[in-house]
């Protein structure tokens, strides 16, 4: 029961974070566009990441389809670890690391504590 509570809390916060950042990226808000430019990425990447984040949240929350869930978690991990390293490469301060590191940690916790029916079964 404890693991299930941990899973749902982490997954709810992860989903909220990914949906909110995905929407901000789809809307191409000025602050987000400025950050992407600062990191050296093209503006169109915001649309791609925003769509993938929203699809990833749907994949993680919908029951069944464990293989797609694994891909969604992997995508979240790659996206957030890429964000951390991008901020590092740009010489940004600790404030810029907080969001990506938090979402990276929530991704790991949600993945680790996911229920058995959301895992790929090895034969």
């Amino acid at each position: 029961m404890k693991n299930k509570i941990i899973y749902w809390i982490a997954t709810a916060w992860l989903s909220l974070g990914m949906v909110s950042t995905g929407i901000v990226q789809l809307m191409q808000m000025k602050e987000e566009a400025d950050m992407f430019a600062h990191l050296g990425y093209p503006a169109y990447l915001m649309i791609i990441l925003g769509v993938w984040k929203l699809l990833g949240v749907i994949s993680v929350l919908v029951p069944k389809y464990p293989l797609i869930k694994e891909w969604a978690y992997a995508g979240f991990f790659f996206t957030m670890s890429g964000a951390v390293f991008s901020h590092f490469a740009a010489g940004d301060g600790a404030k810029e690391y907080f969001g990506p590191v938090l979402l990276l940690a929530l991704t790991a916790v949600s993945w680790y504590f996911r229920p058995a029916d959301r895992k790929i079964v090895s034969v």
Side-chain angles (χ1 to χ4, degrees), residues 7 59 62-74 110-123:
Y7 166 77
S59 300
V62 170
K64 299 186 182 176
Y65 311 109
L67 182 61
I68 294 173
K69 288 181 193 321
E70 290 292 320
W71 281 71
Y73 279 119
S110 176
W111 177 84
Y112 182 80
F113 285 100
R114 70 198 187 286
D117 64 338
R118 293 174 176 258
K119 295 180 181 178
I120 296 175
V121 179
S122 299
V123 181

Side-chain angles (χ1 to χ4, degrees), residues 19-123:
V19 166
S20 63
T21 59
I23 289 171
V24 164
Q25 290 168 342
L26 285 173
M27 292 173 52
Q28 297 188 351
M29 290 182 68
K30 181 176 176 1
E31 295 84 5
E32 191 73 5
D34 291 346
M35 180 58 70
F36 266 66
H38 165 71
L39 295 174
Y41 293 116
Y44 68 82
L45 186 59
M46 287 189 291
I47 301 296
I48 296 169
L49 290 175
V51 168
W52 285 348
K53 285 179 180 182
L54 296 179
L55 292 174
V57 168
I58 292 168
S59 300
V60 167
L61 292 178
V62 170
K64 299 186 182 176
Y65 311 109
L67 182 61
I68 294 173
K69 288 181 193 321
E70 290 292 320
W71 281 71
Y73 279 119
F76 289 163
F77 180 84
F78 296 142
T79 301
M80 292 301 104
S81 61
V84 168
F85 285 110
S86 294
H87 286 293
F88 177 76
D92 290 338
K95 182 182 97 170
E96 303 302 332
Y97 288 92
F98 180 74
V101 168
L102 176 61
L103 289 172
L104 188 59
L106 289 170
T107 298
V109 171
S110 176
W111 177 84
Y112 182 80
F113 285 100
R114 70 198 187 286
D117 64 338
R118 293 174 176 258
K119 295 180 181 178
I120 296 175
V121 179
S122 299
V123 181

